[in-house]
Amino acid sequence: MTTHATEHSTRPYDILVAEDSPTQARHLAQLLAQDQDCPAHVRVAADGASALQAAREHVPHLVISDIAMPGMDGYMLCRALKDDPRLAAVPVLLFTRLTSLQDLVRSLEAGADGFVRKPYDDAQMRARVRRILHGRAAGNLAGPLDVMAEERRHIHELLVATHDEALRLNAELAAQGAELARTVDSLAIVGNIAAALNEAAGEGDVAHAALDHLLRVPSVAGAAIAALDADGVTRPLAQGGDVPGPHECGCAQDPTAGAAAVVCLPLQTGGRPLGLLHVRAAREGFAAEDRQLLASVAQQVALALERARLYTRAEALVAERTAALRSERNRLSAIVESAGTLVLQTDPDGRIVTFNRACEESLGCRARHALGRFYWDVVRGADDPDAMRRALAGLADGTPPPRLQGDWRTKAGRTRSIAWTHTQLRREDGTVECVLATGVDVTELRGAEQRLHYANNYDSVTGLPNRDLLRERLRRMKAEARDDGGILGFMLVRFGRMALIREALGPVAEQALLQEAGNRLREVAGPDFVARFSEGAFAFLLQRADAAELAPCARRLLAALGAPYTHDQEEFHLDPAIGIAVYPNDGVAYETLARGAETALRQAADGASQRCAFYRPELNSGANDRFKLENALRRALERDELELHYQPQIAVGGGIASAEALLRWRHPERGFVPPTEFVPLAEESDLILEIGEWVLEQVCDQLRTWHRAGVPVVPIAVNLSAHQFDDSILGTVRRVLDDCELAPELLELELTESASMADAGKSFALLAQLKDLGVRLAIDDFGTGYSNLNYLKRFPVDRLKLDRSFVHELETDADDLAIARAVIAMAHGLRLSVVAEGVETPGQLELLAGLGCDHVQGWLFSRAVPAPQFAALLARGAGQVPM
């Protein structure tokens, strides 16, 4: 990302001066305010607290503060400014007389961007302030590095001044006469050491430079310098000559007492220990002049070590602040570049200074070609090239539109739909610094919306409108029919042979024929509206003057749709049928007309010759009864209208071996509703799932109740609907058994032959898992379906139930007798028991017993009775069942 700096406004800079001396404050204010190259408005605060309050009320461009002030001094003011997010970016210069290098370190640690040594030169002061303000206005991020470099120069000047002072002192001492020659020589040595130390940067360099000159002193045989860290640990820096051992030095002694051969001098400044200087004398001991020389050297080394540490800390501060600035800049740049949003920034005149990668990708223009050009020359409208220019007219003086959405032309001529949002960024004085434009490319989103609209409103197979559009078109056409005084025909078309074709040829053939049918409907429809009504039906809306015109239209449709269809070189007839409802004769609402057309369509499909039927209210009577019965069944569970009866299953030659639970519905008005009426209705409406789970819970709970009451219980069989026989049945059975604490062998699950063979592989897996639970399994209505015996032998079932249709004519029909004999023999061959249903006569019982049937069930023994009566049967014991 590339950014062009903008020029600073001609308005004066705002400079805040914190100075407790009115004279010095007035002089500095006049000095800065009279600079024609950098006009400034100078505010003066008498102390740090006043300056902080003034800065928070109006953010200045620069703060210049004296260090020594009552209350809040310059260091505290600087730290408070840098800790405030609004003021952290304001440069701060501190005044100091540099009485100690520690002043510089405290200035840098407080976050100062520079310092000014008192007394200052007026011209240099103006140049210094001008450079900082111009650099800040230009957005120069390297400015703080320049400031730090300037401060390092001032530190160097301070040390040179120290060196010059030492040389001056040497010259004055030399002038005192020859009698001070040795003192002069010592001071010359100190001066040479000071000069060498001025060139040393690090602690190691200081130590080696000091020893290099110290070992030239005739009275010194060897020396070592060690640094003292903050934790009190001594760290060697340099050594040379005959170095004294640790046990020989006089660290614990007074170095001024006596003429010891080894002395240890502390290196310290301002009372802070920095290290130690160990020196061994070339003779028996050091004279007083030697000790004075060593003390001076120790002082010089201490100052040099402090300076080295200051340099190190200053370098660390510079590196830390520079790294933070660069990190912040890189982070912001990375965010802008990686954002999926288009980011474009201009100067107040509209020239682009920022152009991120998303702009390049959407507008097809590289940043290097866009930077410096006017915004509206790069972003041009697809239909109106100057749309952006007019929208941003008078950009610097006016306010750009907050949101601008439209189609824009890329450099390659493509069209992109982009929504732009504009924001003006202003300076403290209210002038516009830049304009930030962010854009969201919604081209793909609009395409997705169009595809979603098509998917939501059109059929994916035929491309015809779906029921949602059919409903909307019906609403509009009804209004037109009302205005014209005509009628509206609502036709439904369905093909009688489509299910057979799907079963025989598969879904691909079915879709191909539906597409062909849809094409024929379009051709016949003309101005009329055609739509896909459901999976196998189409809808027509026809506006006519009267209902008599609808029949000819229906005949034309039947003729077009009844012609042969070709698929894979084979001809097919689809046998179309049409049901018609008329608005407003047969209804007004969409649901009423659709329901009437469906009723007529069923009538037409059932007709032998007439394939078209108009809706008549009497056609709905059966549907209404069915609808009412379904609603009543939905409330039957809530109202406790369902109950279970139990029919005993008798062991041939014995007593009650088991029983079957049969569902009964006691309707409050109709009395008992036959299961043949409400069970199919429950299966069609999915109520069978809720009812089936209720039956399981009731049977298991009843068995638990009987067991606790001391009634001799027998296994109870529960019929499972094909809708229940899926993966959820396993969890349901396990939960019910656990809740009732029932032995699983007391529960038998019966599955019809047709349901178990619908998906033999899945049935085998489910039956195996149910068997693992310990429940008994049976195949109900055996012989009525088309069982695959290869699958049947794998099923983990316990018994087969011979359907009552084979038992009813057992005494008179030889075929039924043969079937019963074969089923019983096959079951025994597969190690399964057999129970025969519908046994009503002694003759049937005698024949079944002769065939080896294990159990029988029917009215010969007992009808299905309520739970209390069945408990009484159980209490009588085996062999006591009434015949």
Side-chain angles (χ1 to χ4, degrees), residues 4 347 350-354 367-375 378:
H4 286 242
D347 64 14
R351 289 184 176 86
I352 298 175
V353 296
T354 300
R368 61 177 180 272
H369 298 144
L371 294 177
R373 297 175 60 189
F374 284 108
Y375 178 16
V378 177

Side-chain angles (χ1 to χ4, degrees), residues 499-506:
L500 180 61
I501 290 174
R502 178 173 63 248
E503 182 178 348
L505 302 179

Side-chain angles (χ1 to χ4, degrees), residues 268-454:
Q268 58 185 13
T269 60
R272 292 188 305 109
L274 302 177
L276 297 171
L277 172 61
H278 303 272
V279 186
R280 180 187 293 277
R283 295 180 295 275
E284 293 182 355
F286 290 109
E289 295 82 357
D290 294 328
R291 290 197 299 272
Q292 291 179 352
L293 173 63
L294 294 177
S296 298
V297 171
Q299 184 178 7
Q300 292 292 328
V301 172
L303 291 173
L305 285 177
E306 182 183 29
R307 183 209 63 198
R309 292 186 179 183
L310 292 177
Y311 268 126
T312 301
R313 292 166 66 179
E315 290 287 348
L317 286 173
V318 170
E320 179 182 351
R321 297 187 64 182
T322 302
L325 288 172
R326 289 175 178 169
S327 176
E328 181 68 16
R329 181 185 64 184
N330 293 337
R331 181 164 55 252
L332 293 176
S333 177
I335 291 173
V336 171
E337 283 299 302
S338 61
T341 303
L342 285 70
V343 179
L344 185 152
Q345 185 179 346
T346 75
D347 64 14
D349 296 326
R351 289 184 176 86
I352 298 175
V353 296
T354 300
F355 198 82
N356 74 341
R357 187 179 296 112
C359 287
E360 293 182 329
E361 295 173 353
S362 291
L363 300 175
C365 179
R366 294 296 181 187
R368 61 177 180 272
H369 298 144
L371 294 177
R373 297 175 60 189
F374 284 108
Y375 178 16
W376 42 82
D377 289 340
V378 177
V379 181
R380 299 180 63 81
D383 300 323
D384 183 2
D386 293 328
M388 187 64 77
R389 182 194 300 271
R390 289 195 304 275
L392 301 181
L395 186 60
D397 301 326
T399 301
R403 185 173 179 83
L404 188 63
Q405 184 170 353
D407 292 333
W408 312 95
R409 187 78 63 190
T410 68
K411 188 176 182 181
R414 296 184 295 111
T415 299
R416 306 295 295 181
S417 181
I418 303 174
W420 291 100
T421 301
H422 300 92
T423 303
Q424 284 182 328
L425 304 181
R426 297 182 177 273
R427 302 182 182 91
E428 292 296 328
D429 58 5
T431 59
V432 177
E433 182 177 357
C434 64
V435 175
L436 180 65
T438 57
V440 178
D441 192 334
V442 296
T443 307
E444 283 72 20
L445 180 60
R446 288 182 58 183
E449 288 176 346
Q450 293 173 355
R451 291 191 295 272
L452 181 61
H453 173 77
Y454 183 86

Side-chain angles (χ1 to χ4, degrees), residues 568-592:
D568 284 347
Q569 301 180 350
E570 295 287 339
E571 283 193 354
F572 302 93
H573 290 271
L574 300 185
D575 292 345
I578 297 178
I580 307 172
V582 180
Y583 166 85
N585 303 18
D586 299 329
V588 175
Y590 169 86
E591 290 78 8
T592 305

Side-chain angles (χ1 to χ4, degrees), residues 67 73 75-76 78-79 94 101-112 310 313:
I67 290 179
D73 61 15
Y75 299 131
M76 297 169 63
C78 182
R79 175 49 56 200
L94 294 180
L101 294 181
Q102 191 65 23
D103 291 340
L104 173 61
V105 175
R106 292 187 64 188
S107 300
L108 295 177
E109 289 178 335
L310 292 177
R313 292 166 66 179

